[in-house]
Amino acid sequence: MNMSLLVVGSMAFDAIETPFGSTDKIIGGAASYICLSSSVLHPDINLVAVVGGDFPTDFVDTLRQRGVRTEGLQVLQDRKSFFWKGRYHMDMNTRDTLATELNVLGDFDPIIPDSYQDSRYVMLGNLSPKVQSTVIERLKNKPELVVMDTMNFWMETAMDDLRHTLTLADVLTINDEEARQLSGEYSLVKAARKIRAMGPKTLVIKKGEHGALLFHEDEIFFCPALPLEDVFDPTGAGDTFAGGFIGYLAAQGRKDFDAFRQAIVHGSALASFCVEKFGTERIAEISAEDLQQRIRLFQQLSSF
Ligand code: AMP
């Protein structure tokens, strides 16, 4: 069976401030991180995204070399790419958004080329929930598995669209703060119950340096994050996690609890690389062998 993975999400310029330094405009965006991460495990990816004429073509070439098809990438020559600016606090688990300039993302009308139509796995990366649902509605064949990510920005600006998109997702990945915001519950167990009643049967709550929780049927699984000596920039860790999570599932062609547990470990391991350098630099260097070595560290860390 064709196990192509369709990825939609933002492709962006980011400006980042952390206690260890700051960057001018560097490449970011959910789809950029997801594609770099998934392609370590499953280099059979159909990208749907939009950028302006200012977006570097060599980054798009890098994605192509890693097995990402770009027929569904729209390049609007006379417009500007999405721009996001964020500042991290000392603990690096919390950040403030300083600027969100939607630019080409503001009126993005996603195109699904015919060659993408048989994608069996779909990753709805962070961008407007309206675009996320449009992508699902434009697929002629129902996918095997739809994983969705979102963030507080969309809860604050597009909650009705977000509610609808949640009904189309099998799995939602969000961070703990967003889970609390979405559900109105402090307890993550209660939050999980409420969020799963909104649509996604399976929920992953990311807790940054404190690992990730998986809620599936009546089971809960916890995966730690690797204690790292240096964390330079957490930007994209959530997207990298999501890319590893769905990349593993698409590569295996499975969606049972055991596969979800393995997928969480793969996502966490890839995210642990992402934070070691600024932007996409580190995740772009990682090979399948690097990943396997790190997964062995996760095993040692948590088996008893
Ligand atoms: P993460 O750190 O995994 O939550 O994701 C960081 C990435 O999300 C950055 O590279 C941003 O470009 C992107 N991003 C930030 N805000 C938004 C938004 N409102 N919609 C889509 N992508 C966003």
Side-chain angles (χ1 to χ4, degrees):
M1 195 196 278
N2 184 328
M3 290 300 175
S4 292
L5 166 61
L6 187 149
V7 173
V8 62
S10 55
M11 289 181 78
F13 286 118
D14 289 347
I16 299 158
E17 291 177 22
T18 81
F20 306 108
S22 57
T23 66
D24 213 2
K25 289 187 169 183
I26 59 171
I27 287 172
S32 306
Y33 285 103
I34 292 168
C35 288
L36 290 171
S37 173
S38 309
S39 58
V40 175
L41 289 155
H42 190 61
D44 178 2
I45 298 171
N46 296 323
L47 172 66
V48 175
V50 64
V51 293
D54 51 358
F55 199 78
T57 51
D58 55 350
F59 183 75
V60 178
D61 291 338
T62 302
L63 293 184
R64 284 201 196 101
Q65 283 153 17
R66 298 171 68 106
V68 178
R69 287 175 215 93
T70 56
E71 248 183 284
L73 172 66
Q74 298 175 47
V75 183
L76 306 183
Q77 284 305 342
D78 51 351
R79 309 254 322 259
K80 280 166 73 174
S81 299
F82 174 66
F83 172 69
W84 176 77
K85 183 170 184 175
R87 180 188 294 143
Y88 289 87
H89 300 208
M90 194 58 206
D91 73 359
M92 300 282 247
N93 283 319
T94 47
R95 72 180 173 205
D96 296 327
T97 289
L98 303 180
T100 300
E101 293 173 16
L102 291 176
N103 299 325
V104 288
L105 218 53
D107 53 0
F108 179 28
D109 188 18
I111 294 172
I112 315 293
D114 283 347
S115 58
Y116 287 17
Q117 281 295 344
D118 57 358
S119 303
R120 304 308 299 137
Y121 285 72
V122 176
M123 180 69 227
L124 301 176
N126 189 15
L127 84 180
S128 114
K130 180 88 193 127
V131 172
Q132 291 177 319
S133 62
T134 302
V135 166
I136 296 296
E137 282 149 12
R138 288 184 181 169
L139 282 172
K140 294 180 194 120
N141 304 314
K142 191 177 168 345
E144 201 66 47
L145 187 77
V146 177
V147 179
M148 166 184 175
D149 191 17
T150 190
M151 74 183 296
N152 48 3
F153 180 84
W154 302 111
M155 293 171 202
E156 284 146 24
T157 60
M159 193 55 207
D160 288 344
D161 291 336
L162 182 57
R163 277 188 198 287
H164 170 62
T165 309
L166 283 168
T167 65
L168 307 175
D170 300 300
V171 183
L172 176 69
T173 68
I174 50 173
N175 72 32
D176 43 359
E177 202 184 323
E178 290 156 355
R180 290 183 171 121
Q181 184 170 345
L182 185 58
S183 64
E185 294 285 353
Y186 181 80
S187 151
L188 292 180
V189 175
K190 285 186 185 158
R193 194 175 307 128
K194 277 201 181 167
I195 293 169
R196 292 170 75 195
M198 296 177 189
K201 293 268 173 300
T202 302
L203 177 68
V204 178
I205 300 184
K206 301 166 286 181
K207 290 155 61 72
E209 66 172 327
H210 306 299
L213 282 165
L214 164 71
F215 296 86
H216 176 76
E217 296 178 352
D218 295 330
E219 315 260 16
I220 303 182
F221 174 68
F222 172 69
C223 177
L226 202 63
L228 294 168
E229 195 150 328
D230 293 308
V231 173
F232 279 105
D233 172 21
T235 307
D239 306 313
T240 302
F241 172 91
F245 179 83
I246 197 158
Y248 177 84
L249 297 170
Q252 299 292 314
R254 286 170 55 203
K255 51 177 188 175
D256 52 278
F257 183 53
D258 180 58
F260 284 140
R261 293 190 333 168
Q262 297 284 344
I264 285 229
V265 176
H266 282 71
S268 301
L270 283 158
S272 76
F273 287 115
C274 175
V275 301
E276 289 177 340
K277 289 187 181 170
F278 271 97
T280 55
E281 195 182 338
R282 185 72 178 123
I283 191 65
E285 297 169 345
I286 298 310
S287 68
E289 180 46 37
D290 296 330
L291 173 59
Q292 290 314 317
Q293 273 180 19
R294 194 148 282 195
I295 286 174
R296 286 193 281 278
L297 290 182
F298 271 79
Q299 247 156 2
Q300 287 163 15
L301 179 69
S302 53
S303 73
F304 62 90

